[in-house]
Amino acid sequence: MAETFDEALELAETTGDERAIAHASLGATLRAMARWRPRAAPDAIAALLDQVLPQLEAWADDRGLAIAYACRSQIHWNACRFEEARRDYCSRRSHAHAAGDGTFERIALTTGAIAEP
């Protein structure tokens, strides 16, 4: 799977497709950091999300935003920052709904409910 993200990122960079670069970068970073440097992963992923989220917003990329908010909510959840996690779950749900991804939307609803105070 890592090779797939690397190939997608290489192709996106070759074509200059910024949106594809954002998606491939997110996938490649998640995969690599979780596997090779799990303790450093949250900081590296948060930094990438800070860069990618505004781009995805500008493109109105609901599927990408649902994925990005899912990643950020997990960072907050793991750090026991449940209010921030809940807000990101809500964003994830609305973008998953807009993207027509019912499965991702249901997962966001369930996990968001768990994060309620």
Side-chain angles (χ1 to χ4, degrees), residues 29-43:
T29 300
L30 291 171
R31 173 79 175 145
M33 295 304 294
R35 184 167 184 192
W36 302 113
R37 298 187 62 211
R39 292 186 196 271
D43 293 336

Side-chain angles (χ1 to χ4, degrees), residues 51-74:
Q51 175 187 347
V52 171
L53 276 165
Q55 293 174 315
L56 295 170
E57 289 283 355
W59 297 320
D61 184 339
D62 286 309
R63 182 165 307 281
L65 285 163
I67 293 166
Y69 279 114
C71 294
R72 195 166 76 175
S73 65
Q74 193 61 48

Side-chain angles (χ1 to χ4, degrees), residues 62-63 65-66 89-106 108-109:
D62 286 309
R63 182 165 307 281
L65 285 163
Y89 284 125
C90 290
S91 295
R92 170 186 176 182
R93 181 180 47 88
S94 66
H95 289 294
H97 178 77
D101 190 333
T103 300
F104 215 46
E105 183 180 7
R106 284 188 298 280
L109 281 168

Side-chain angles (χ1 to χ4, degrees), residues 26 29-30 33 38-50 53 67-82 84-86 88-89 92:
L26 188 56
T29 300
L30 291 171
M33 295 304 294
R39 292 186 196 271
D43 293 336
I45 294 167
L48 178 61
L49 290 170
D50 288 344
L53 276 165
I67 293 166
Y69 279 114
C71 294
R72 195 166 76 175
S73 65
Q74 193 61 48
I75 292 169
H76 292 312
W77 182 269
N78 291 345
C80 298
R81 295 188 304 260
F82 300 116
E84 289 116 328
R86 189 188 62 75
D88 285 336
Y89 284 125
R92 170 186 176 182

